[in-house]
Amino acid sequence: MSSRPDADAPHIPVLLDEVLAALAPERGETMVDATFGAGGYTRALLGAGVKVYAFDRDPDAITAGRALEAAEPGLTLVPAEFSRLDRELAALGAVPVDGVTMDIGVSSMHLDQAERGFSFQQDGPLDMRMSQEGESAADFLNTADEEDIANVLWRYGEEPKSRRVARAIVAARPLATTGDLARVVRKALGHRPHDKKDPATRAFQAVRIHINRELDELAAGLEAAERVLAPGGRLAVVSFHSLEDRMIKRFLRERSGATPAGSRHRPAVADARAPTFEIVGRAVRASAAEVARNPRARSATLRTARRTAAPVWGDQGQNAAGGLRVEESE
């Protein structure tokens, strides 16, 4: 099979060449695609002769991937959150692995389907659930306290006028569609047709991250990858906004023993634990040529590292969702 995804595949994997270079797949190895989606990374790894365990919590993605799984003996689809990849792989007898790749956040598959409720560019039900289970965006926005909504907008969307937007949302209840939410946010913040960025962008990002517990999933997923990677195993993580990238950067900095010493007025405190990652690569971003082919790549950042033989550090509780607070001026 070709090392490239099919030419007619519906979505283009971001930074594919760079991810493959970081993973350096060799025939006979075992790797994890923690975010299967449309299968772009998985197809490339299969083409390199690698056995792939591909995770996705979206049942639609798993259903769409069954034909590929049937055609490829080296592929096993796992319908689960990637935060569970250590437990799921252990149950399958597939630990350790030689590589893990993650493409964090919402996929273009989700944004392109109005009925999934992720995009303000198409009107659809206010849903946003990747797993299609649990609390929807409409449930949260129609029942949560104004302060809770403001906190989510501030923490996950970095919305400077989060209180104003939260008040407008509560006043406009009930909200049923993505169009309802977009109109409320645009009215609260002011929207001019020539604005470069739609003012609803931050609110949609924030609500989506909250509903899907994306930062908690990322924190747990990075720790799970640490647990399943063999010595010399490679990690490649693509993210699309600063909240994710800061978490990944901090995780790799800590686990590689590169945490800054802190204030010059206080002595540095050495961590007794041996680094679990090394050869931490610099952040990689898409070339102008790739962005021209695939605009989604514009905000993508790839961070990579190699697993050492040191014991895992264990859960550090990065407090992804904790400490929510509102700080703004209006």
Side-chain angles (χ1 to χ4, degrees):
M1 181 176 218
S2 168
S3 64
R4 293 285 189 174
D6 296 342
D8 59 352
H11 302 286
I12 305 169
V14 170
L15 291 167
L16 176 61
D17 291 337
E18 292 82 356
V19 167
L20 289 177
L23 293 176
E26 296 185 7
R27 185 167 296 277
E29 288 188 323
T30 298
M31 295 193 173
V32 174
D33 181 350
T35 47
F36 176 70
Y41 297 127
T42 288
R43 287 184 174 91
L45 292 172
L46 290 169
V50 169
K51 179 171 179 56
V52 179
Y53 290 88
F55 285 69
D56 209 298
R57 60 172 155 173
D58 187 338
D60 286 355
I62 295 295
T63 297
R66 290 301 185 191
L68 179 63
E69 183 182 39
E72 291 283 358
L75 173 60
T76 300
L77 292 176
V78 185
E81 299 93 340
F82 63 70
S83 60
R84 294 180 50 84
L85 68 86
D86 54 335
R87 285 166 284 181
E88 297 289 341
L89 291 175
L92 292 167
V95 177
V97 300
D98 301 293
V100 175
T101 185
M102 303 177 177
D103 179 350
I104 306 302
V106 68
S107 74
S108 48
M109 290 172 59
H110 293 133
L111 294 173
D112 292 344
Q113 298 176 43
E115 64 273 17
R116 297 298 302 272
F118 285 93
S119 176
F120 53 80
Q121 297 180 341
Q122 304 179 73
D123 199 17
L126 193 52
D127 194 317
M128 301 193 191
R129 296 171 297 176
M130 291 181 182
S131 66
Q132 301 184 39
E133 296 179 339
E135 181 184 50
S136 70
D139 294 334
F140 169 66
L141 293 173
N142 287 325
T143 62
D145 293 340
E146 181 180 313
E147 183 178 1
D148 290 341
I149 296 172
N151 282 340
V152 165
L153 295 174
W154 169 258
R155 175 67 175 86
Y156 298 138
E158 300 178 300
E159 172 53 67
K161 301 298 181 184
S162 56
R163 289 190 187 277
R164 180 183 300 176
V165 176
R167 281 197 299 270
I169 287 171
V170 170
R173 288 170 173 171
L175 305 178
T177 69
T178 55
D180 291 341
L181 177 58
R183 284 188 289 273
V184 169
V185 176
R186 289 165 182 159
K187 184 176 179 181
L189 297 178
H191 180 224
R192 294 164 294 185
H194 62 275
D195 286 345
K196 185 175 181 180
K197 185 175 182 179
D198 194 303
T201 302
R202 291 186 293 268
F204 270 72
Q205 172 185 298
V207 174
R208 186 202 83 222
I209 289 174
H210 170 71
I211 290 298
N212 295 291
R213 300 180 65 255
E214 291 179 36
L215 298 188
D216 290 325
E217 278 288 304
L218 175 56
L222 291 170
E223 290 171 348
E226 178 191 49
R227 287 190 284 270
V228 302
L229 281 166
R234 287 79 72 192
L235 176 67
V237 188
V238 177
S239 62
F240 290 88
H241 63 72
S242 59
L243 292 175
E244 298 165 343
D245 184 54
R246 286 198 294 267
M247 287 185 64
I248 299 160
K249 180 179 179 180
R250 183 171 69 248
F251 174 85
L252 292 177
R253 186 175 60 201
E254 290 174 350
R255 295 305 209 273
S256 64
T259 304
S263 170
R264 62 187 176 87
H265 300 294
R266 291 181 294 178
V269 179
D271 197 312
R273 294 169 292 191
T276 53
F277 284 95
E278 61 183 356
I279 317 178
V280 177
R282 289 181 172 273
V284 175
R285 293 180 174 84
S287 66
E290 179 170 358
V291 171
R293 294 192 306 270
N294 182 12
R296 182 174 180 252
R298 181 177 292 107
S299 58
T301 301
L302 168 66
R303 293 191 182 271
T304 63
R306 188 178 296 267
R307 184 71 166 86
T308 69
V312 300
W313 283 23
D315 297 344
Q316 299 302 301
Q318 293 195 49
N319 197 25
L324 299 188
R325 61 196 178 99
V326 177
E327 296 177 359
E328 61 172 336
S329 59
E330 299 217 10

